[in-house]
Amino acid sequence: MAKVNKRLAVLVGCNYPNTQYELHGCINDVVAMKDLLVKRFGFDPTNIELLTDASAVTGEGSSSVVLPTGENIKAALSKMVSQAEAGDVLYFHYSGHGTRIPKPAHIFGHDEAIVPCDFNLITDVDFRQLVNQLPKGASFTILSDSCHSGGLIDKEKEQIGPSTYRAASSLSYKAKNIPFESILEHLTTLTGINTSDIGTHLLESFGANASLKFLTPQLESELFDFLKADEGILLSGCQADETSADMNPMESGGK
C-alpha cells in the first residue's frame, strides 16, 4: 500500500485580552484559517493544533485549552517537525504582535521575533533551528501576520511579502506592534532586575524555555555555519521594518 503523506498545521492567534496591548482580529484569523485548511486544502482536523488566548477571557468553552505561551508554541512546532517525513506538508500560521530586538554590531541591526501571550519571545534563531530539522522532501510554510515579520526565518531563501506601500483602509485598524521598550518595561516589572538586557529578563522569567538566542549565544553562528538546503517558505505580513494591521472583526461584518 502506498504511503499517504501527512498535512500538519499549528495555528496560533494572540489577542492579548484585558491588556494594554489587546488586539481584536487574531483569533478570528486562525479560526478562519483552520476552516480553510480543512475545507479547501484537505487537512484532517485532528492534524491541526489551534492555540489561542480566548480562554484568558472566557475561562471555559474556548477554542483551545492550551494557551499560546512561548513554551507551548515551541512545543507544538517541535512536535510537528518531529512527526514529519518526506512528502509531508507542514504549515504554521501566527497572528499576533511582532517586535524587533536591537542587535548591536549586527549588519541589519535587529532580530525579528513574535510575541506569545506570556511575552516569552520566539526569535528568528528558533525558527531557523526548526527549519534546519526539516527532513528532506518535506515542506514547511510559515505565515506570520505580525509586525516586522519579514526575515523571521533568518537567511531563508524563499520569502514572500509585500514590496510596496499600500494606502490605509478606511476602517479603523491598529498596528500589530509592541515597541521593544514596552516589552523590556513589562519584563522588568516581572523580574525586578534593573538592566536593559532583554536576555537577562527572559532567562530569569522563563529559564530553559527562553529563546535559543539567549540560552546559547554562540548557537546562532553555529546554526548559520551549517545552513542546509531546505523546503522552508516564509509568507510575511510585512517587511522587517514595517508594521501589519489588526482589524476588529466586529467592524467588518464579523470577519
Side-chain angles (χ1 to χ4, degrees):
M1 175 181 267
K3 173 183 174 292
V4 177
N5 294 328
K6 300 185 295 294
R7 298 185 179 191
L8 309 171
V10 173
L11 313 179
V12 174
C14 295
N15 275 350
Y16 316 91
N18 304 319
T19 73
Q20 61 180 308
Y21 313 108
E22 185 168 9
L23 299 173
H24 298 283
C26 299
I27 294 175
N28 184 76
D29 286 348
V30 292
V31 170
M33 180 54 67
K34 180 178 181 180
D35 189 60
L36 182 69
L37 292 177
V38 172
K39 293 182 178 178
R40 181 170 176 179
F41 294 105
F43 279 64
D44 184 332
T46 62
N47 286 335
I48 300 175
E49 184 161 3
L50 182 68
L51 288 77
T52 77
D53 52 7
S55 59
V57 175
T58 63
E60 60 182 0
S62 66
S63 59
S64 172
V65 295
V66 182
L67 286 172
T69 62
E71 179 182 1
N72 290 341
I73 294 170
K74 288 188 288 188
L77 290 172
S78 294
K79 178 182 176 182
M80 180 171 67
V81 171
S82 69
Q83 292 176 336
E85 301 172 287
D88 289 349
V89 173
L90 279 60
Y91 179 67
F92 172 54
H93 188 117
Y94 171 75
S95 187
H97 279 304
T99 195
R100 303 182 83 190
I101 304 168
K103 188 175 181 181
H106 188 268
I107 187 171
F108 297 113
H110 295 84
D111 278 322
E112 290 73 45
I114 63 172
V115 185
C117 67
D118 63 346
F119 281 62
N120 185 9
L121 302 181
I122 301 177
T123 71
D124 52 358
V125 175
D126 300 304
F127 287 112
R128 166 45 61 189
Q129 191 216 32
L130 277 169
V131 172
N132 278 357
Q133 294 174 1
L134 196 66
K136 185 175 178 60
S139 71
F140 191 179
T141 299
I142 294 176
L143 193 159
S144 189
D145 187 358
S146 57
C147 290
H148 312 300
S149 47
L152 199 57
I153 312 174
D154 208 356
K155 294 181 171 60
E156 185 56 52
K157 65 183 184 300
E158 297 293 343
Q159 296 192 32
I160 303 169
S163 59
T164 57
Y165 175 78
R166 295 187 178 182
S169 166
S170 58
L171 293 171
S172 62
Y173 69 93
K174 176 181 181 179
K176 292 183 178 180
N177 174 57
I178 300 180
F180 175 77
E181 292 74 20
S182 297
I183 292 177
L184 190 61
E185 181 181 351
H186 175 77
L187 291 172
T188 299
T189 62
L190 296 179
T191 65
I193 300 174
N194 183 22
T195 177
S196 60
D197 178 49
I198 191 77
T200 298
H201 294 294
L202 290 169
L203 289 169
E204 175 69 20
S205 297
F206 305 107
N209 293 315
S211 169
L212 289 170
K213 172 178 172 59
F214 308 108
L215 280 174
T216 51
Q218 74 278 10
L219 178 66
E220 184 169 4
S221 60
E222 292 174 5
L223 279 172
F224 300 140
D225 284 342
F226 298 101
L227 285 179
K228 63 176 185 178
D230 62 67
E231 297 299 325
I233 298 174
L234 172 66
L235 305 178
S236 63
C238 60
Q239 298 296 333
D241 60 346
E242 295 177 330
T243 60
S244 286
D246 175 57
M247 308 294 291
N248 189 334
M250 299 307 294
E251 296 179 12
S252 54
K255 293 290 183 182

